Amino acid sequence: MSNFNFLKRINENLFIIAYEAEKLFRDEYFEQCITQTRRLAENLCRDVVGDRLESSENFDAMLELLKDTPAQNDFEKEFIEDLYFLKKAGNESVHSLHVKQDGNLALECMHRAFEAALNYAVFKKGLDSKYLQQQFDDELLATGKKTKKPSLTEKYDEEKTKNAKKRKNSKKSSSKSKKIKYDDESEEDIYRNMPDKDNKKPLWREILETVAAGLVIAVVYFLIFNK
């Protein structure tokens, strides 16, 4: 298995170069891996330049030719940037006096080579643009075995299930809150309608007020009718 399987249907030779780079990385020949990604980048560039290429032109000249091409979109700019990066890293690896088994740089070169190859396949060779969503698999690079990843449909179904659970829990929480509110209101109504014990008059006070009222009536009666 390879991250570059999409190249098989486009250019078998380019696929072999990329696959060899992956194997070199897996075996921890990082400098050779970096050099191999430079080789891939140069051949990608050569194919893109095509008829505009003269036999005497080297990698630098081809890159300058691509850079000077008008109407570049973001993917073309990214493609050229990746080629420049791979050329520089590869040159430094080839001409370095000391061996530097830099795994991090080799991994970066593999990522860049993958992105450059994808852009080449889609925009130069007409590969379906859905491949632009493809992600580089580091585990596949390290082990040669593809990581089990959920498909887009599985991801959608999983997200749909999560959202449904969230809505269900939200409804339960809302219903519980309303019930508590109604219970509180009912309690308030009960207490509101209950007689206020503190305001009720004692019996002796009611009798005294009744007697006083009777005396007032009697006094008024005698004053009026005894004249």
Side-chain angles (χ1 to χ4, degrees):
M1 293 294 293
S2 168
N3 282 291
F4 296 85
N5 279 338
F6 60 89
L7 280 177
K8 280 184 178 179
R9 66 186 69 184
I10 296 170
N11 190 314
E12 184 74 19
N13 290 326
L14 291 177
F15 168 73
I16 293 172
I17 294 172
Y19 184 54
E20 287 297 324
E22 285 184 302
K23 289 197 297 182
L24 288 167
F25 183 94
R26 197 171 301 131
D27 294 333
E28 298 187 2
Y29 292 116
F30 297 129
E31 281 203 332
Q32 292 86 337
C33 169
I34 294 169
T35 303
Q36 188 74 354
T37 59
R38 183 203 181 283
R39 181 184 175 192
L40 175 64
E42 183 169 356
N43 280 279
L44 288 172
C45 188
R46 189 179 302 278
D47 194 22
V48 171
V49 172
D51 296 337
R52 293 174 290 171
L53 175 66
E54 296 182 5
S55 58
S56 61
E57 289 182 327
N58 56 25
F59 197 0
D60 288 321
M62 289 188 290
L63 283 172
E64 287 299 320
L65 186 60
L66 284 182
K67 189 176 179 181
D68 293 338
T69 303
Q72 295 174 2
N73 59 37
D74 290 338
F75 289 103
E76 289 172 335
K77 291 178 181 178
E78 182 183 3
F79 176 72
I80 294 172
E81 288 174 2
D82 287 335
L83 295 185
Y84 268 111
F85 181 90
L86 294 171
K87 179 186 75 69
K88 181 181 178 181
N91 287 348
E92 289 177 355
S93 179
V94 168
H95 299 296
S96 176
L97 179 62
H98 302 286
V99 176
K100 297 179 183 179
Q101 295 295 359
D102 190 341
N104 290 329
L105 179 58
L107 181 60
E108 175 70 11
C109 286
M110 290 303 308
H111 281 216
R112 296 269 191 158
F114 175 78
E115 294 296 334
L118 264 183
N119 285 332
Y120 159 82
V122 172
F123 295 103
K124 173 64 179 178
K125 295 299 183 179
L127 188 68
D128 195 319
S129 59
K130 69 180 181 181
Y131 281 90
L132 292 173
Q133 300 176 7
Q134 186 171 326
Q135 301 294 318
F136 189 86
D137 190 341
D138 288 338
E139 186 173 333
L140 174 57
L141 172 65
T143 65
K145 296 179 181 179
K146 189 171 181 62
T147 305
K148 179 64 175 69
K149 294 181 179 179
S151 64
L152 290 175
T153 303
E154 290 173 337
K155 285 183 178 180
Y156 172 78
D157 291 340
E158 184 180 351
E159 191 66 25
K160 189 176 179 181
T161 303
K162 286 181 180 179
N163 290 335
K165 286 182 179 179
K166 285 181 180 179
R167 286 195 295 270
K168 187 176 180 181
N169 292 335
S170 178
K171 286 182 180 179
K172 283 184 178 179
S173 177
S174 176
S175 176
K176 187 177 180 181
S177 176
K178 286 181 179 178
K179 185 178 179 181
I180 292 173
K181 183 178 179 182
Y182 291 149
D183 289 346
D184 290 344
E185 288 179 353
S186 299
E187 251 180 65
E188 289 177 5
D189 290 340
I190 291 172
Y191 284 116
R192 191 183 299 117
N193 294 327
M194 286 179 65
D196 191 348
K197 292 181 180 180
D198 294 336
N199 294 331
K200 187 176 180 180
K201 297 179 181 179
L203 181 62
W204 65 268
R205 186 174 178 180
E206 290 183 357
I207 294 173
L208 183 61
E209 289 179 351
T210 303
V211 172
L215 289 174
V216 170
I217 294 172
V219 170
V220 171
Y221 177 82
F222 283 114
L223 289 173
I224 295 173
F225 294 99
N226 287 333
K227 291 182 179 181

